[in-house]
Amino acid sequence: FIDPAIQLGIYYLLVAVIFQKSQPAYILFLACAIIPWKWFTTAIAGATNSVRAREAVLRQISFPQIVLPMAEVLAETGSFLFALVPLGALYLVYPERLTPWVLALPAVAFVQLLWTMPIAILLAALNVFLRDIGLFTTHALRIWFYASPALFTIELLRRGGEKYPIFGAWVDLNPFTWIFGGYRDLLYYGRAPDWASLALCGLASVPVTLVALYAFKRMSPSFVKVL
């Protein structure tokens, strides 16, 4: 409960108070992105180190090693559910933002899970061979966050994309553009999300999943030897 609440407070202070960004119910606007992003980053961080941290178990017991990163992601999914409590408390301040569309939250969360799982599996395998992958991932995720419509609206990022076409292409291809948009439609604007875009976003995770599974399968026989 405390960690996402502190993060919300920090970003609210930075953007709304210091930079004086005007946005109605801005702390709820932030929560719709920061809390799902916290789920994503903690799941990736735990999964990245999941195989290397269990070196002793891998040497003693034969089991499908892919369950290690998957278990980390599922465990953080439970933490995400608890993190929804402070988000729900914000509706005591903004009751007019609460609509029946919040019941569709699992659909958007499922799309996010479709992207989280393959990235977690791939990084867990790579981390066995590249010991600094965890440090690289931390910085990459930070850049990813600020290059996503988390602190600002998607319209603001698109205006930047008009000036820098490469950034504009990134905005369109970034899965969290559509995932954050889905959360905000449900939880902030109180309306139906863009189901077509979310469906395409989910389908786009399929080739990434296949690559991750193939890579993990090819690398896993060498895990014990390398560790």
Side-chain angles (χ1 to χ4, degrees):
F1 298 146
I2 296 175
D3 187 62
I6 291 175
Q7 282 196 319
L8 282 174
I10 291 172
Y11 283 115
Y12 180 79
L13 176 66
L14 175 66
V15 180
V17 178
I18 297 177
F19 292 157
Q20 297 184 351
K21 170 68 177 178
S22 60
Q23 175 79 31
Y26 187 65
I27 196 166
L28 179 61
F29 180 87
L30 285 177
C32 294
I34 289 176
I35 291 178
W37 184 258
K38 179 67 176 176
W39 170 30
F40 178 68
T41 55
T42 53
I44 294 301
T48 298
N49 198 44
S50 60
V51 176
R52 180 171 290 280
R54 291 165 178 82
E55 175 183 352
V57 177
L58 293 176
R59 294 183 182 279
Q60 296 174 9
I61 305 173
S62 177
F63 64 95
Q65 298 156 345
I66 199 171
V67 304
L68 296 176
M70 293 177 67
E72 290 289 342
V73 173
L74 294 177
E76 291 303 329
T77 302
S79 299
F80 170 66
L81 297 178
F82 282 104
L84 292 177
V85 174
L87 189 150
L90 291 176
Y91 288 115
L92 298 176
V93 183
Y94 307 108
E96 71 281 0
R97 299 279 176 174
L98 182 62
T99 70
W101 281 111
V102 299
L103 299 177
L105 180 65
V108 182
F110 180 69
V111 175
Q112 181 175 338
L113 183 62
L114 290 178
W115 277 97
T116 305
M117 194 66 78
I119 295 173
I121 291 172
L122 182 60
L123 290 176
L126 291 175
N127 192 49
V128 176
F129 301 91
L130 304 173
R131 294 176 180 269
D132 291 333
I133 197 73
L135 297 175
F136 170 79
T137 300
T138 299
H139 296 297
L141 289 175
R142 187 175 295 117
I143 296 171
W144 194 349
F145 176 75
Y146 289 114
S148 300
L151 303 181
F152 307 102
T153 62
I154 179 62
E155 290 76 18
L156 183 62
L157 292 187
R158 291 198 187 282
R159 286 200 292 270
E162 293 175 359
K163 186 175 182 181
Y164 302 99
I166 294 178
F167 181 72
W170 159 256
V171 171
D172 290 331
L173 295 175
N174 180 6
F176 276 94
T177 295
W178 313 107
I179 293 171
F180 286 161
Y183 283 122
R184 287 208 172 109
D185 283 336
L186 297 176
L187 304 175
Y188 180 78
Y189 294 108
R191 65 192 183 195
D194 186 344
W195 294 116
S197 296
L198 282 174
L200 288 174
C201 183
L203 288 174
S205 70
V206 174
V208 180
T209 301
L210 294 176
V211 170
L213 293 175
Y214 176 78
F216 195 96
K217 183 179 179 180
R218 289 294 303 269
M219 288 187 275
S220 58
S222 302
F223 286 170
V224 175
K225 184 186 302 183
V226 174
L227 292 171

